[in-house]
Amino acid sequence: MSRLFVAIGCFALLFSSLVVVPAPVAVGQEPKEQAIKIRWFGQSFFQIESAEGRKIAIDPHAIPAFGRQSTTAEFILISHSHDDHALIDMVEKEKKEDQFKEGDILRGVVEPKPGKQEWKTIDEKRGSIRVRTVATYHDTMNGMQRGKNSIWVIEMNGLVICHLGDLGHELSPEQVKAVGKVDVLMVPVGGIYTINGEQAQNVMKQLKPRLYTLPMHYGIVGYDELAGPEEFLDGIKKEDIKKFPETNEIVIPVNLKLDAPQIAILNWRKEEPKKEEPKKPDPKKPDPKKK
């Protein structure tokens, strides 16, 4: 019997030596949830930041109504060559002394000579980030009116982000298949030069984004060349619309799951917190300093 107790004791000692006790974590050093960040600068201009802090800029512009904002990026994606989508001077490298090389500016539509446009098929990896194009048109007339357009599909941190550029038509089954699964969709909704709100809803239904749809390329106060987002939001349940009136940024955890996809309405700038004005002394109360 004593041998049995000794055997049990030895086994318990061996098992306890195999149990790994996690090291204590200091306050403030708890592991943070990985997330990507998307920032909107009006029109179709976005900055996407990976969980590791790598940044991409898409379709930069300098429209005065949006404050001529600039940002930083490792590389730039351009859907087509119109000025309100291709002003690379509005983007800087993280280190200002660095300059963009030609390989850092990826154009989905190129012009080998004036008046002649061609799609440039791109599918490349830059480290852990994959970017690729899907050929589309800027209008409903096979490009005869406004030319060609490229959709950008970006894969990072396990999420798929789709930027439709200046899409001018609903998608064909072949284009939907080429895009593939989408977690976050950026869709033009302002009409006139692109699809309108109703068509944008149809494209959203075609691509079925799992998490968020971010409307873009629409009119705001002071910029009425395009319609606002109202037509796009018409008929959408209020609980499926998430508004960010004070910021142009949305943070998306890489493991996020939602009960239903949402439409995120971002501000085109991040509002600065208002400074509180110092309180004026009440004339009825005696000043303690004069006592």
Side-chain angles (χ1 to χ4, degrees):
M1 186 64 128
S2 60
R3 290 182 180 177
L4 177 61
F5 282 122
V6 169
I8 293 173
C10 291
F11 178 77
L13 182 62
L14 176 62
F15 179 77
S16 64
S17 68
L18 295 176
V19 175
V20 178
V21 179
V25 178
V27 176
Q29 292 184 343
E30 300 88 350
K32 294 181 179 179
E33 186 176 25
Q34 280 202 322
I36 67 167
K37 298 175 182 177
I38 298 176
R39 302 176 182 97
W40 184 49
F41 302 101
Q43 201 74 333
S44 304
F45 185 7
F46 287 89
Q47 181 202 62
I48 305 173
E49 181 177 347
S50 74
E52 299 77 26
R54 299 178 63 195
K55 297 172 183 174
I56 304 170
I58 310 179
D59 281 6
H61 68 78
I63 297 172
F66 294 106
R68 297 183 184 273
Q69 300 178 86
S70 61
T71 191
T72 58
E74 181 181 322
F75 58 98
I76 305 171
L77 309 179
I78 296 175
S79 63
H80 63 294
S81 58
H82 291 172
D83 285 346
D84 59 337
H85 294 259
L87 284 185
I88 60 175
D89 289 344
M90 304 309 293
V91 185
E92 295 180 344
K93 280 278 197 177
E94 288 287 334
K95 295 180 180 179
K96 292 186 178 181
E97 62 269 21
D98 292 344
Q99 300 293 324
F100 285 106
K101 300 174 183 177
E102 186 55 36
D104 296 330
I105 303 167
L106 305 181
R107 302 175 188 273
V109 176
V110 296
E111 294 188 8
K113 59 182 181 180
K116 181 177 175 58
Q117 290 187 341
E118 293 178 357
W119 288 297
K120 187 172 183 180
T121 303
I122 296 173
D123 187 348
E124 65 177 68
K125 291 194 73 175
R126 299 177 72 98
S128 60
I129 299 174
R130 180 189 179 194
V131 295
R132 56 188 178 87
T133 55
V134 176
T136 57
Y137 291 105
H138 200 325
D139 53 54
T140 58
M141 302 171 64
N142 292 335
M144 294 296 292
Q145 188 176 11
R146 295 191 181 91
K148 293 178 169 65
N149 175 70
S150 278
I151 292 172
W152 281 103
V153 182
I154 303 115
E155 300 175 19
M156 64 166 61
N157 299 118
L159 295 177
V160 180
I161 303 157
C162 178
H163 184 288
L164 296 179
D166 265 7
L167 182 67
H169 56 87
E170 295 178 26
L171 301 175
S172 68
E174 292 77 18
Q175 289 166 331
V176 172
K177 184 177 179 181
V179 170
K181 77 156 194 166
V182 174
D183 294 304
V184 181
L185 176 66
M186 301 161 176
V187 57
V189 304
I192 302 177
Y193 306 109
T194 67
I195 54 176
N196 59 27
E198 181 181 359
Q199 293 167 317
Q201 276 200 27
N202 293 337
V203 171
M204 181 174 67
K205 292 173 184 175
Q206 287 181 301
L207 292 176
K208 300 179 177 64
R210 182 177 67 89
L211 297 175
Y212 290 107
T213 295
L214 278 58
M216 63 178 184
H217 207 274
Y218 60 82
I220 62 167
V221 175
Y223 182 70
D224 57 3
E225 289 187 24
L226 305 173
E230 292 78 17
E231 183 182 13
F232 174 66
L233 299 176
D234 186 40
I236 304 293
K237 296 178 182 177
K238 287 185 178 180
E239 57 265 30
D240 292 336
I241 301 173
K242 189 172 184 179
K243 294 185 178 182
F244 298 77
E246 297 181 351
T247 183
N248 66 338
E249 178 182 278
I250 182 170
V251 179
I252 305 174
V254 298
N255 295 320
L256 180 65
K257 294 180 181 179
L258 297 176
D259 293 334
Q262 293 187 330
I263 293 172
I265 309 294
L266 298 175
N267 195 341
W268 54 268
R269 64 184 174 189
K270 189 170 184 178
E271 299 288 352
E272 296 294 333
K274 294 181 179 179
K275 294 182 180 180
E276 291 187 7
E277 295 183 3
K279 293 182 178 179
K280 295 180 180 179
D282 189 342
K284 295 180 181 180
K285 292 185 179 180
D287 190 344
K289 293 181 181 179
K290 293 182 179 180
K291 285 184 179 181

